[in-house]
């Protein structure tokens, strides 16, 4: 399994490199992309130093033999290191096997706590760009407008936070299928395929982001709270096998919960791809791979074909809600206009099969509840407070709501199309937050009028 502790990166790298040097002198494993290394560690020094510690001291007559052995080890290391650099340059500037965490976001906002005056609503509306404001205003009811507004505030804040972009520079566009994406250019090595997805239903607005995979998310209110979306109205969305799964549940509540789970998976899948409403949901069929009280992992077949490069992670939220995140290959993105796919810097063909499994089976963190005030840029804190808004407590800020996920276990396959179905034994620990050196300042960094009336 990958290690997320930077202090032990040397030990982790050493263990893997020793296995390659000792057991694979030809460098075959390395050529297959299985060598784990780190740019900030001189592996030559580490390997040779460890060899000195573990090897028995040579006798006086063995000095010549020992020198020859050390020279051979050094040549082997140089050969392997050069080959590894060649592999890196062909696939990506940053090795996916580095023992560095992947930053992903799993946020949600409780809309029941958003008691907004008309003035405060207009202020928050001014924090998003013109096209996004139009998307909010098209709703007739205020509750629907609040959901749409919260989703867009989540998107802007996540892009700014994950990629260290100035809030005012965040530009968000949408594909023809209405999938939102970041249009602003960025050069973040740990986020080559940064993309996100948003969803809102009932009391919740949610956002999820991924660094390498296509990302889709869907939050679903309890079936009994959804107007016109009961079992009868969704009959054409599920396959015969899925209906058998629903009807096999013992109680009516369990049937509703199974319907809710499968529905959220179908929505997350199409939202990750970017199909919009054109995809026939009955083409996809979901199966549970593993299930606990905290998390459910599912696989999917489409038109009867198993999609082994996709994984689905579903978990409950308070109040009977359910949220599902889809992870899939960028090659499956549906982008008629081509703008979104241009922002994806690492193609699926550059991943070895084991690399791809590492990312889709990376630990799935829990969703973190985000206060509304956290979504307001610091430059507008004073105005937000004057209008009745409430900023998060100072202790919320030194803890990053960005999940740092250790790499999953590396597995070997000969081609990207031979990735097997999900395993039943890769649950990790519960998601956590990592500390950051950041302090809350109630004084805005720039005047409230710095960005004009709106931040576009």
């Amino acid at each position: 399994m990958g290690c997320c502790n930077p202090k032990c990166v040397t030990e982790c790298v050493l263990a893997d490199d020793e296995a390659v040097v000792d057991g694979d002198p030809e460098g075959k494993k390395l050529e297959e992309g299985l060598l784990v290394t780190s740019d900030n560690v001189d592996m030559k020094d580490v390997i040779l130093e460890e060899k000195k510690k573990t090897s028995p001291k040579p006798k006086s007559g063995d000095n010549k033999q020992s020198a020859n052995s050390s020279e051979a080890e050094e040549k082997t290391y140089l050969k392997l290191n050069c080959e590894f650099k060649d592999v890196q340059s062909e696939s990506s500037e940053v090795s996916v096997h580095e023992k560095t965490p992947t930053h992903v976001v799993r946020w949600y906002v409780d809309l029941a706590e958003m008691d907004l005056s008309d003035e405060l609503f207009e202020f928050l509306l001014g924090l998003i760009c013109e096209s996004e404001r139009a998307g909010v205003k098209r709703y007739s009811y205020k509750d629907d407008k609040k959901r749409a507004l919260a989703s867009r505030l989540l998107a802007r804040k996540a892009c700014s936070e994950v990629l260290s972009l100035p809030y005012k520079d965040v530009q968000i566009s949408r594909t023809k299928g209405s999938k939102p994406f970041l249009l602003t250019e960025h050069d973040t090595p740990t986020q080559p395929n940064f993309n996100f997805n948003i969803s809102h239903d009932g009391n919740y607005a949610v956002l999820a982001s991924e660094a390498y995979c296509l990302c889709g998310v869907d939050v679903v209110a309890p079936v009994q709270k959804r107007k016109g979306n009961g079992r009868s109205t969704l009959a054409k969305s599920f396959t015969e096998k899925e209906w058998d799964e629903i009807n096999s549940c013992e109680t009516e509540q369990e049937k509703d919960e199974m319907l809710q789970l499968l529905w959220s998976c179908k929505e997350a899948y199409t939202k990750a791809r970017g199909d919009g409403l054109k995809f026939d949901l009955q083409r996809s069929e979901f199966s549970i791979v593993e299930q606990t009280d905290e998390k459910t992992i599912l696989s999917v077949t489409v038109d009867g074909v198993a999609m082994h490069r996709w994984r689905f992670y579903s978990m409950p939220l308070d109040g009977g809600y359910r949220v599902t995140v889809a992870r899939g290959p960028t090659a499956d993105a549906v982008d008629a206009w081509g703008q979104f796919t241009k922002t994806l810097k690492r193609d699926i063909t550059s991943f070895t099969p084991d690399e791809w499994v590492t990312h889709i089976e990376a630990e799935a963190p829990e969703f973190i509840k985000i206060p509304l005030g956290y979504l307001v840029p610091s430059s507008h804190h004073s105005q937000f407070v004057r209008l009745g808004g409430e900023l998060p407590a100072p202790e919320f800020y030194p803890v990053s709501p960005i999940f740092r996920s250790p790499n999953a276990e590396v597995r070997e396959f000969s081609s990207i199309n031979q990735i097997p179905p999900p395993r039943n034994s890769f649950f990790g620990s519960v998601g956590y937050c990592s500390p950051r050196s950041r302090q809350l300042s109630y004084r805005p960094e720039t005047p409230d009028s710095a960005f004009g009336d709106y931040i576009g």
Side-chain angles (χ1 to χ4, degrees):
M1 296 295 290
C3 176
C4 61
N5 186 350
K7 292 183 179 180
C8 65
V9 65
T10 301
E11 298 174 3
C12 296
V13 173
L14 175 62
D16 285 327
D17 273 2
E18 283 188 324
V20 173
V21 172
D22 290 342
D24 188 29
E26 299 293 328
K28 293 178 181 178
K29 290 184 180 179
L30 182 143
E31 291 176 352
E32 294 171 2
L34 302 182
L35 177 61
V36 182
T37 188
S38 176
D39 291 338
N40 62 354
V41 177
D42 189 334
M43 290 307 305
K44 174 184 173 182
D45 293 341
V46 173
I47 294 173
L48 296 182
E49 182 64 25
E50 187 67 12
K51 290 288 184 181
K52 292 177 183 178
K53 293 179 182 179
T54 57
S55 300
K57 293 183 179 180
K59 299 178 182 179
S60 57
D62 295 334
N63 287 341
K64 185 175 181 180
Q65 183 180 355
S66 176
N68 292 337
S69 176
S70 297
E71 183 178 356
E73 287 176 358
E74 182 170 355
K75 288 181 178 179
T76 300
Y77 165 77
L78 293 173
K79 175 179 180 291
L80 293 178
N81 194 45
C82 291
E83 289 174 351
F84 178 72
K85 287 182 178 178
D86 290 339
V87 173
Q88 273 191 306
S89 62
E90 290 175 6
S91 60
S92 173
E93 294 181 1
V94 178
S95 171
V96 74
H97 286 298
E98 289 182 6
K99 295 286 187 175
T100 51
T102 296
H103 295 67
V104 300
V105 169
R106 300 289 188 267
W107 292 352
Y108 76 94
V109 171
D110 188 345
L111 301 170
E113 298 176 0
M114 285 179 60
D115 186 14
L116 305 179
S117 65
D118 291 342
E119 281 186 317
L120 188 54
F121 181 85
E122 289 298 322
F123 163 77
L124 295 172
L125 198 61
L127 299 179
I128 61 178
C129 64
E130 180 61 40
S131 61
E132 294 295 285
R133 286 197 295 273
V136 174
K137 291 180 178 178
R138 70 182 177 86
Y139 290 99
S140 301
Y141 298 103
K142 187 172 182 179
D143 284 346
D144 292 331
K145 290 181 179 180
K146 282 170 57 177
R147 295 184 187 100
L149 175 60
S151 299
R152 287 155 175 80
L153 290 173
L154 282 167
R156 294 186 68 86
K157 182 64 174 180
C159 293
S160 174
E161 191 82 4
V162 175
L163 305 174
S164 300
L165 294 174
Y167 191 89
K168 63 183 180 64
D169 291 344
V170 174
Q171 299 179 35
I172 293 175
S173 186
R174 289 182 179 254
T175 65
K176 185 177 180 180
S178 199
K179 179 180 175 69
F181 66 94
L182 176 67
L183 193 60
T184 308
E185 292 187 4
H186 69 92
D187 186 18
T188 309
T190 57
Q191 298 280 337
N193 293 339
F194 172 80
N195 68 118
F196 65 92
N197 205 228
I198 52 180
S199 178
H200 53 82
D201 191 21
N203 292 338
Y204 293 131
V206 302
L207 177 142
S209 79
E210 288 290 333
Y212 294 90
C213 313
L214 276 185
C215 181
V217 66
D218 189 62
V219 61
V220 185
V223 173
Q224 56 269 29
K225 292 184 179 181
R226 295 176 60 84
K227 298 178 180 179
N229 280 337
R231 291 178 222 161
S232 59
T233 57
L234 297 177
K236 295 183 179 180
S237 300
F238 299 104
T239 66
E240 183 177 346
K241 181 180 176 181
E242 288 173 331
W243 275 118
D244 289 342
E245 187 73 24
I246 294 171
N247 293 325
S248 67
C249 297
E250 295 182 359
T251 67
E252 293 301 307
Q253 180 178 346
E254 289 176 347
K255 290 179 181 179
D256 286 343
E257 290 174 352
M258 181 59 67
L259 184 147
Q260 182 190 32
L261 169 63
L262 297 175
W263 175 259
S264 67
C265 288
K266 288 174 181 283
E267 287 283 294
Y269 176 63
T270 58
K271 292 179 68 178
R273 284 167 45 99
D275 292 274
L277 300 176
K278 294 183 177 180
F279 186 85
D280 180 2
L281 297 180
Q282 209 169 35
R283 291 175 56 196
S284 61
E285 183 173 271
F286 289 84
S287 301
I288 295 175
V289 175
E290 184 157 351
Q291 190 169 33
T292 67
D293 291 339
E294 295 81 20
K295 204 172 299 183
T296 303
I297 301 175
L298 303 96
S299 61
V300 65
T301 62
V302 178
D303 298 329
V305 179
M307 301 286 105
H308 294 318
R309 293 185 289 182
W310 285 84
R311 298 290 187 273
F312 298 84
Y313 301 85
S314 189
M315 57 197 73
L317 291 178
D318 291 342
Y321 285 74
R322 176 164 290 279
V323 60
T324 298
V325 176
R327 289 172 173 164
T330 56
D332 288 3
V334 178
D335 183 22
W337 297 334
Q339 287 185 307
F340 167 55
T341 50
K342 285 182 180 178
T343 69
L344 306 176
K345 300 174 183 177
R346 187 166 182 194
D347 188 77
I348 182 66
T349 57
S350 70
F351 293 91
T352 61
D354 54 284
E355 285 178 312
W356 188 247
V357 172
T358 295
H359 291 299
I360 60 174
E361 292 191 354
E363 190 172 343
E366 293 181 339
F367 277 73
I368 299 173
K369 184 178 178 181
I370 300 296
L372 176 62
Y374 183 79
L375 305 180
V376 177
S378 59
S379 57
H380 281 52
H381 278 177
S382 59
Q383 187 177 355
F384 177 67
V385 172
R386 283 199 303 270
L387 293 173
E390 184 177 349
L391 292 171
E395 56 265 23
F396 181 83
Y397 282 80
V399 178
S400 171
I402 301 176
F403 181 81
R404 297 164 64 90
S405 172
N407 284 342
E409 180 183 357
V410 173
R411 301 159 64 198
E412 300 181 42
F413 306 105
S414 59
S415 88
I416 197 72
N417 294 319
Q418 292 182 357
I419 295 177
R423 293 170 295 172
N424 292 336
S425 59
F426 60 89
F427 265 28
S429 58
V430 177
Y432 61 93
C433 301
S434 298
R436 303 180 65 210
S437 56
R438 177 176 178 177
Q439 295 180 347
L440 171 63
S441 173
Y442 288 96
R443 179 178 295 177
E445 297 171 0
T446 56
D448 286 337
S449 59
F451 304 140
D453 294 333
Y454 299 108
I455 300 177

